[in-house]
Amino acid sequence: ISDPMTPPIVPGKNGMSTVLLSHPSGSSADVYLNGAHVTSWIPAGGKEVLFMGKTATFAPGDPIRGGIPVVWPQFANTGPLPQHGFARKTEWQLAENDESSDDPSSVKLVLTDDHRTRDQWPYHFRTELTVTIDDKSLQVKLDAFNTGDELFSFTAALHTYIAVADIRETAIRGFTGKWYLDKTQGGNETKDEAKKLVISDETDRVYLKAPKKVEVEDRGNERRIEIRSAGFKDAVVWNPWAEKVTGFIGLDTEDYMKMVCVEAAQIGSPVELKPGASWNGSQTLAIV
């Protein structure tokens, strides 16, 4: 008989295994074992913070459009692997010796190499994703361990889709004065001189040496969401906008109006892990 305190695992969409996190304050989160994917976070007394594509696919081995996909060990198409690597479309396991396993507000999931991952990427590794909620915050922590005997390097991101009432009434603060690679302009390096970032067309920016704290002002929902990162050097801001949105599986024609991706990332300088070494990075969303 399972401990009533443990986060329960229930069938989610299409029967896929989902961990339900809950906190005494009333806050809740859903984490799919497929991709260790956080698909929902509702703070105490608040509304859903994570955006989910209207036509998102929920099927084993497919990435889920929205929430927080785990991008590892490759960001986008910066290497030989498929877009964003394999972690986001692989089934993760519950950690066996998880000391927080009797806490319904936290879960640790694990992905280790097997013949399928080694066919794509010939290294031995262990990655852990720990998700913890309290009344007003959601923390997602990614740990990577090199369990083999040769060095490997990786890029990574926590590809967070923030739900907003209306992108036209949304501003992001904290990037002023920072340099970014503008992927809509062939990767040109540009300095952000704006007081606040207001998205009004296709936006795809990699901020190098990003600030540790930025804030999404979601005026339509009368809330501000602080995004803090640790361990990740960079940050990505993305919205496909009207022309491109239909090119993404899982996104509906109007979906770009209701979302913005702000993601802790490690892209500019890949992490190099020696045998036996480990790395971790985290991202915390908080209602302020």
Side-chain angles (χ1 to χ4, degrees):
I1 297 169
S2 75
D3 182 336
M5 294 297 288
T6 311
I9 298 186
V10 302
K13 290 205 174 143
N14 297 332
M16 291 167 73
S17 299
T18 310
V19 182
L20 302 186
L21 298 185
S22 61
H23 185 265
S25 63
S27 119
S28 67
D30 299 355
V31 189
Y32 277 69
L33 294 188
N34 187 73
H37 197 124
V38 184
T39 56
S40 169
W41 172 51
I42 302 172
K47 293 183 186 151
E48 179 62 65
V49 175
L50 300 178
F51 169 84
M52 188 54 62
K54 196 170 269 176
T55 53
T57 326
F58 286 81
D62 279 354
I64 301 169
R65 174 71 62 192
I68 310 180
V70 177
V71 172
W72 195 88
Q74 177 187 296
F75 179 79
N77 51 6
T78 53
L81 290 170
Q83 173 88 359
H84 289 329
F86 50 74
R88 66 182 183 145
K89 37 192 189 187
T90 307
E91 184 94 356
W92 293 50
Q93 309 294 325
L94 281 176
E96 281 171 15
N97 56 352
D98 183 4
E99 61 286 344
S100 67
S101 62
D102 57 350
D103 177 357
S105 65
S106 183
V107 67
K108 186 193 284 186
L109 299 178
V110 179
L111 179 66
T112 47
D113 61 278
D114 61 17
H115 65 95
R116 285 167 306 197
T117 68
R118 290 191 299 270
D119 281 347
Q120 301 180 58
W121 198 62
Y123 301 106
H124 295 278
F125 66 86
R126 172 185 173 94
T127 45
E128 298 176 350
L129 192 85
T130 309
V131 182
T132 307
I133 57 172
D134 64 16
D135 57 341
K136 292 281 193 267
S137 77
L138 165 78
Q139 186 195 54
V140 180
K141 181 166 158 282
L142 179 65
D143 288 85
F145 304 87
N146 183 340
T147 57
D149 50 18
E150 53 183 316
L151 177 134
F152 62 72
S153 67
F154 64 85
T155 48
L158 295 173
H159 196 323
T160 307
Y161 288 74
I162 303 286
V164 296
D166 185 335
I167 193 70
R168 295 165 299 192
E169 293 179 20
T170 301
I172 305 168
R173 298 176 187 278
F175 287 118
T176 309
K178 297 291 180 182
W179 289 88
Y180 64 90
L181 306 178
D182 189 340
K183 294 176 85 176
T184 68
Q185 302 296 324
N188 281 352
E189 198 161 337
T190 309
K191 193 174 186 182
D192 188 341
E193 303 285 16
K195 278 204 179 68
K196 57 184 183 181
L197 172 54
V198 178
I199 291 176
S200 54
D201 56 12
E202 186 197 351
T203 303
D204 193 353
R205 298 178 175 189
V206 175
Y207 284 88
L208 301 165
K209 302 188 175 67
K212 293 295 164 219
K213 188 171 87 174
V214 297
E215 194 172 278
V216 176
E217 192 183 328
D218 174 13
R219 286 196 291 278
N221 280 322
E222 299 179 333
R223 68 182 177 188
R224 288 178 306 143
I225 302 150
E226 189 178 87
I227 302 169
R228 298 192 296 271
S229 70
F232 288 97
K233 290 198 170 82
D234 310 316
V236 176
V237 177
W238 180 68
N239 184 304
W241 213 250
E243 304 77 57
K244 296 264 179 93
V245 69
T246 49
F248 291 93
I249 291 166
L251 291 178
D252 212 31
T253 327
E254 300 295 310
D255 275 353
Y256 74 95
M257 299 289 287
K258 303 280 182 204
M259 58 160 271
V260 60
C261 286
V262 182
E263 18 184 320
Q266 184 83 20
I267 299 164
S269 51
V271 175
E272 295 207 330
L273 271 196
K274 295 189 170 91
S278 65
W279 170 92
N280 73 70
S282 68
Q283 177 172 261
T284 303
L285 308 184
I287 302 295
V288 290

